[in-house]
Amino acid sequence: AQSVTQLGSHVSVSEGALVLLRCNYSSSVPPYLFWYVQYPNQGLQLLLKYTSAATLVKGINGFEAEFKKSETSFHLTKPSAHMSDAAEYFCAVSDNRDDKIIFGKGTRLHILP
Amino acid sequence: GAVVSQHPSRVICKSGTSVKIECRSLDFQATTMFWYRQFPKQSLMLMATSNEGSKATYEQGVEKDKFLINHASLTLSTLTVTSAHPEDSSFYICSARDQIAVAGVQETQYFGPGTRLLVL
């Protein structure tokens, strides 16, 4: 069975500071990994996805994530936080056999002025 | 880009009534759609996988007779919450996968904006 664990249900960073949201996965097959963002009362927007190509994946809004097989991690980073980055972020995993996406519990990112 | 819509965006109903939620892929054909529910401040939980022209596949613990799913066309899937009760109040989100899939490549699922259901 696949699963993801997001460390920290809430993360606060100052505007302009580095954003780091942690995600570890568990999968018996090579995984496909995703980061989604959800703004209040809205659906999900795909930030980026890893599909066994380059281990460093660049996404939208300046976010990127690095797949590290040895650490079973897929942490999300952004060099400089903006106020507009405040949202809920979900890490997710899929094995592509049936395309079921398993979501982590989410991390709420707070941006401090 | 690919767009998925849901209707209605929010609905309030009385306990015991049935509510239908529509999920449409607007600019692509989707042989597979997925239905999720999200409780406040929690993650998305997959309820069922909806395949065009066949019966939906439900996740463990999801009552198929209570959450009726129909995927009659390549652009429309519906979720009907039958005999709704207050505990069914939740945020329901659908996603759709493009029909054109390249073997061995994970195709992106496109998510709808969600439907908030409140059962009184």
Side-chain angles (χ1 to χ4, degrees):
Chain A
Q2 296 182 302
S3 66
V4 289
T5 302
Q6 293 183 240
L7 301 178
S9 57
H10 292 266
V11 171
S12 296
V13 301
S14 298
E15 189 175 18
L18 171 71
V19 175
L20 171 61
L21 303 183
R22 299 178 186 274
C23 173
N24 288 89
Y25 70 90
S26 173
S27 178
S28 58
V29 298
Y32 294 88
L33 294 160
F34 310 82
W35 275 99
Y36 289 89
V37 60
Q38 184 180 36
Y39 295 99
N41 296 313
Q42 295 187 28
L44 299 181
Q45 182 179 9
L46 180 67
L47 281 176
L48 50 83
K49 63 178 179 179
Y50 166 78
T51 57
S52 74
T55 56
L56 181 62
V57 183
K58 294 186 182 298
I60 62 172
N61 300 341
F63 285 94
E64 63 181 37
E66 185 173 8
F67 173 72
K68 291 186 176 181
K69 183 178 180 180
S70 61
E71 299 178 7
T72 62
S73 69
F74 190 58
H75 303 329
L76 181 70
T77 60
K78 181 174 180 177
S80 177
H82 294 160
M83 296 300 293
S84 60
D85 294 328
E88 188 88 19
Y89 291 81
F90 293 97
C91 181
V93 64
S94 170
D95 65 6
N96 196 35
R97 286 183 297 175
D98 55 11
D99 283 353
K100 292 181 183 178
I101 295 180
I102 306 301
F103 287 87
K105 293 186 175 182
T107 297
R108 180 162 295 277
L109 177 63
H110 304 271
I111 308 299
L112 306 175
Chain B
V3 178
V4 175
S5 70
Q6 284 185 239
H7 177 79
S9 58
R10 58 183 63 191
V11 56
I12 301 173
C13 69
K14 294 181 178 181
S15 183
T17 61
S18 294
V19 175
K20 179 185 286 187
I21 302 170
E22 294 184 347
C23 177
R24 293 181 185 273
S25 55
L26 297 185
D27 49 5
F28 66 99
Q29 294 184 323
T31 52
T32 304
M33 292 184 173
F34 302 86
W35 285 96
Y36 298 82
R37 67 185 299 179
Q38 183 182 29
F39 291 106
K41 300 184 179 181
Q42 295 189 29
S43 187
L44 282 75
M45 299 299 295
L46 180 65
M47 299 175 65
T49 302
S50 169
N51 294 299
E52 186 266 337
S54 64
K55 293 183 178 180
T57 303
Y58 290 81
E59 295 300 301
Q60 189 174 7
V62 178
E63 299 176 59
K64 60 181 64 178
D65 293 332
K66 180 168 186 61
F67 298 100
L68 300 179
I69 292 174
N70 183 277
H71 193 159
S73 78
L74 288 172
T75 59
L76 173 64
S77 176
T78 60
L79 168 68
T80 301
V81 183
T82 62
S83 187
H85 288 97
E87 57 266 30
D88 298 324
S89 298
S90 188
F91 194 50
Y92 292 86
I93 301 176
C94 73
S95 70
R97 188 181 65 189
D98 200 310
Q99 178 184 15
I100 301 174
V102 178
V105 178
Q106 167 63 271
E107 288 300 306
T108 300
Q109 287 186 32
Y110 301 97
F111 284 81
T115 296
R116 186 161 300 282
L117 170 63
L118 177 61
V119 184
L120 302 177

